[in-house]
Amino acid sequence: MLYCTRLAETLMKRYPDPDSYPYASWSYPQGFLLWGFIRLYEKTGDTTYRDYVMRYCEEHVGDDGTVRGFTGVSLDDMMSASVLVWAYTQTHLPKYKLACEQVRRSFDDYPRNPDGGFWHSRDREGEMWVDGLFMGQMFLVRYGAYVDGADRDACFAEAIRQLNIVFDRCEKDGSGLLYHAYSARPGTPWANVVTGKSHEIWSEGLGWYAMILADVLAIIPKEFPGWQSVQKQLEKLLASLAIVQDPCSGLWYQVVDKIHSPGNWHDSSGSAMFLYTFRKAELLGLCETSYPDVIRRGFEGLKTKCLTDLEGNLNVYDACDGVCVQIDYETYVRYAKNVNAKEAVAAALWALAAVELEAV
């Protein structure tokens, strides 16, 4: 059995109702996980995976399009709505279109910095996190592409704008690697007093950014204004990630660019996200440079973190659960590692499915 299908079976056994997946009923982990199941369904045709996703959608969307649990208080809250876009494409039920429209309206008054960058949440004044690029744009680009054609150009332009703003604010020294966050608010504890950037490049945060680059480039047409700017970001990012990949393990470190620093360790969550991005870029021809050895080593490395227990369940080791922006290097590398951290499990499902199942 493939790793991806074994992991999916483990998850359906462990969480027969996807609404029980940690940590809240409606939040980004469910959406992130369910996109892995969507891709399994699309590649295998096994309706068990489709039914699993649709159960979550049915539980959260009323006949009038009201989305149970949705608040719009943060970009994290937007992410699961990207699954509702998919549900609409599958069913064409009016309630799913109404639900997506509800989420789309929440962007209209969503707070921004003076440069136009979205805050990570309505209560985090001035703070832009690289995580938020994934959370917001997973929904926005799909809404424009598949729900409301009249809003298409605005959604695509906004997605590109957000990616460009955060890239400009968070990039480290022209490397294509992004610090975890930027704040326009003076006095933010984790921000450099001069640049506003946070102090470290966290692997999972950079992984969110990497994945959304690939997904945005896959959905928005090449001829759309600004597509090339995002493609250049991906080129730079992958070139730098290839350099900092551990050649022995095939994995990436918790603090990505400090590979020889004391206490640093291999993060399975960020590693899975990077592996997915390299594979997606290869399949879609998004970069001029090909990285077959990086993908091969990354896949072999990820498998060493996905271990089967005595009951036949596949467990994902060595990742943190729910890391916000931290003050310094020591805090990132000392953050507690868990088995089956919610982000790592979903990231592994994405990456394993991309390597084991996907083809052009």
Side-chain angles (χ1 to χ4, degrees):
M1 183 184 294
L2 298 175
Y3 277 80
C4 62
T5 53
R6 189 184 309 161
L7 181 55
E9 287 193 2
T10 296
L11 288 163
M12 289 188 292
K13 181 168 64 172
R14 190 169 283 156
Y15 308 105
D17 182 350
D19 199 37
S20 65
Y21 190 70
Y23 72 116
S25 176
W26 175 273
S27 191
Y28 72 91
Q30 286 80 22
F32 189 26
L33 176 75
L34 292 174
W35 271 108
F37 278 90
I38 289 169
R39 288 177 172 131
L40 286 174
Y41 166 64
E42 290 174 345
K43 294 301 174 181
T44 67
D46 187 338
T47 57
T48 303
Y49 302 134
R50 181 185 185 276
D51 293 345
Y52 191 69
V53 179
M54 288 305 303
R55 175 172 179 173
Y56 183 80
C57 298
E58 286 293 310
E59 287 177 344
H60 280 275
V61 179
D63 291 339
D64 62 352
T66 301
V67 184
R68 182 174 64 83
F70 175 73
T71 64
V73 299
S74 70
L75 294 176
D76 287 350
D77 203 47
M78 313 292 191
M79 195 273 149
S80 287
S82 63
V83 178
L84 302 185
V85 175
W86 179 83
Y88 176 65
T89 67
Q90 294 293 300
T91 66
H92 299 291
L93 290 175
K95 70 175 186 177
Y96 287 120
K97 185 175 184 180
L98 290 170
C100 292
E101 288 171 348
Q102 176 190 345
V103 177
R104 175 66 181 91
R105 287 192 297 273
S106 68
F107 283 90
D108 293 344
D109 67 349
Y110 197 81
R112 303 171 183 258
N113 281 338
D115 59 11
F118 289 138
W119 298 0
H120 190 68
S121 63
R122 293 179 186 266
D123 62 348
R124 293 184 183 272
E125 180 185 350
E127 297 185 20
M128 296 190 301
W129 300 7
V130 292
D131 321 29
L133 289 170
F134 179 87
M135 306 306 169
Q137 308 325 308
M138 277 290 290
F139 171 78
L140 206 57
V141 293
R142 286 174 170 82
Y143 181 87
Y146 307 120
V147 178
D148 187 353
D151 203 21
R152 169 186 179 272
D153 287 0
C155 290
F156 289 177
E158 186 68 78
I160 291 171
R161 180 188 187 190
Q162 294 301 316
L163 287 165
N164 286 337
I165 289 170
V166 175
F167 179 79
D168 290 342
R169 293 295 190 183
C170 294
E171 187 187 18
K172 178 184 178 180
D173 302 330
S175 65
L177 303 176
L178 270 58
Y179 289 104
H180 190 175
Y182 163 83
S183 181
R185 186 182 81 253
T188 303
W190 48 256
N192 182 293
V193 296
V194 176
T195 67
K197 298 175 183 179
S198 62
H199 295 283
E200 301 299 340
I201 299 172
W202 173 48
S203 65
E204 189 180 289
L206 192 64
W208 295 121
Y209 166 69
M211 290 188 297
I212 199 58
L213 287 179
D215 273 32
V216 164
L217 291 170
I219 294 172
I220 297 178
K222 290 183 179 181
E223 63 273 13
F224 192 86
W227 189 93
Q228 293 295 335
S229 69
V230 178
Q231 191 273 337
K232 289 177 182 177
Q233 291 180 41
L234 182 63
E235 289 268 13
K236 291 181 71 175
L237 175 63
L238 295 188
S240 290
L241 285 174
I243 293 171
V244 296
Q245 182 188 35
D246 180 6
C248 296
S249 69
L251 300 168
W252 283 266
Y253 286 87
Q254 168 79 338
V255 177
V256 173
D257 58 330
K258 295 185 175 179
I259 58 178
H260 300 300
S261 296
N264 213 352
W265 49 274
H266 300 125
D267 171 37
S268 59
S269 185
S271 295
M273 293 173 173
F274 299 146
L275 175 58
Y276 167 82
T277 305
F278 274 104
R279 178 62 170 157
K280 194 77 171 181
E282 176 188 65
L283 291 169
L284 299 179
L286 297 176
C287 295
E288 292 183 6
T289 305
S290 180
Y291 298 95
D293 290 339
V294 171
I295 294 170
R296 177 184 55 78
R297 288 195 297 265
F299 180 48
E300 293 302 318
L302 181 60
K303 288 191 291 186
T304 68
K305 300 295 185 181
C306 299
L307 305 178
T308 304
D309 61 25
L310 294 176
E311 296 178 351
N313 298 311
L314 197 67
N315 299 291
V316 181
Y317 287 78
D318 293 342
C320 300
D321 209 351
V323 180
C324 296
V325 185
Q326 301 299 316
I327 292 176
D328 56 20
Y329 172 83
E330 288 296 325
T331 312
Y332 278 104
V333 298
R334 293 176 185 271
Y335 210 92
K337 289 182 279 187
N338 293 321
V339 180
N340 295 323
K342 57 186 178 294
E343 298 89 351
V345 171
L349 187 60
W350 278 45
L352 295 169
V355 174
E356 294 181 310
L357 295 178
E358 294 229 27
V360 177

